[in-house]
Amino acid sequence: MANTCSKGAAAAAAACLVLAVGSAPAAARSAVTVPWYHQQLRNDCEAGALRMVMAARGRHAGDRAILRRIGVDRVHYRFGHSGPLSGDPFRAFVGDPDGSELAGTGFGVYYPPVAAAARSYGLGVIAAGQGVGPARLRSEVSRGHPAVVWVDYLWRHLRTRWYTAYNGRRIPYAGPAEHTVVVTSFSGGRVAVNDPSRGRYTVSEAAFTAGYATYGDMAVIVR
């Protein structure tokens, strides 16, 4: 799948969505100055998002180096279905970071390994977890703290499904369009994001809240 179409979303649908939410760089003043980089692998938006946050704090590394800090589980590669090969994204990146979520060869990683990788590069982590609501997120971003957030690629609020990983953990999953972006500002009813797949743009607060809720308001906020 092309780099411009991350996490299994169809190119036509993605193009329509970006036009709807505003694909141009955000006009609103950013509370956080974060450079934008395109993700370097097909399916590694989490590493790409963390790379941008790290660069905003003067720490630089490529996606593959960041993934080594995060950890990649190529043994328990399945996701979305219970079983002995079902990976745990709370422990490591599940599957091939250069694979395809739609094809079932690569998925992603949730907040604990991303937060651990951020700390390993010397960043302070203010919050990491689910339940980091939009009001808390807005407050921290307005103080200049960039946030990596987990969303639906098409900014939908999808019903969570659950599967059992190899280690017995129950995993929430709403793919095949799991995605991460960096939030840089809230202004005028819109949220500015650095999307490692699609660039800088804004979405309405309603769309943001919907997409963000899909993974339980999951975020890693960096000091």
Side-chain angles (χ1 to χ4, degrees), residues 97-200:
D98 206 23
S100 164
E101 186 174 4
L102 187 62
T105 58
F107 164 38
V109 62
Y110 289 168
Y111 72 88
V114 174
R119 293 186 183 101
S120 78
Y121 281 105
L123 300 182
V125 175
I126 296 171
Q130 293 176 286
V132 183
R136 170 79 187 280
L137 190 65
R138 175 197 287 269
S139 176
E140 296 295 353
V141 169
S142 72
R143 292 184 174 95
H145 303 144
V148 176
V149 302
W150 279 254
V151 299
D152 171 67
Y153 189 85
L154 299 180
W155 299 101
R156 302 163 296 185
H157 184 188
L158 301 179
R159 180 179 61 86
T160 300
R161 306 188 303 277
W162 297 80
Y163 70 89
T164 302
Y166 68 94
N167 55 6
R169 187 197 294 263
R170 293 274 288 163
I171 306 296
Y173 178 66
E178 177 265 351
H179 194 44
T180 56
V181 300
V182 180
V183 177
T184 60
S185 77
F186 289 77
S187 181
R190 300 190 71 80
V191 183
V193 301
N194 278 17
D195 183 328
S197 176
R198 293 173 290 192
R200 289 189 174 100

Side-chain angles (χ1 to χ4, degrees), residues 8-35:
C16 291
L17 172 84
V18 173
L19 288 173
V21 299
S23 59
R29 178 182 61 83
S30 292
V32 186
T33 301
V34 181

Side-chain angles (χ1 to χ4, degrees), residues 1 3 6-8 39-47 63-64 67 71-79 85 87 92-109 178:
M1 188 167 300
N3 282 338
S6 169
K7 297 295 186 184
Q39 62 193 68
Q40 296 178 327
L41 303 173
R42 293 178 58 175
N43 209 38
D44 77 322
C45 57
E46 298 90 352
D63 289 14
R64 292 182 188 276
L67 282 166
V72 177
D73 183 353
R74 295 178 184 270
V75 175
H76 307 100
Y77 58 89
R78 292 191 60 181
F79 47 90
L85 290 181
F93 191 103
V94 177
D96 183 357
D98 206 23
S100 164
E101 186 174 4
L102 187 62
T105 58
F107 164 38
V109 62
E178 177 265 351

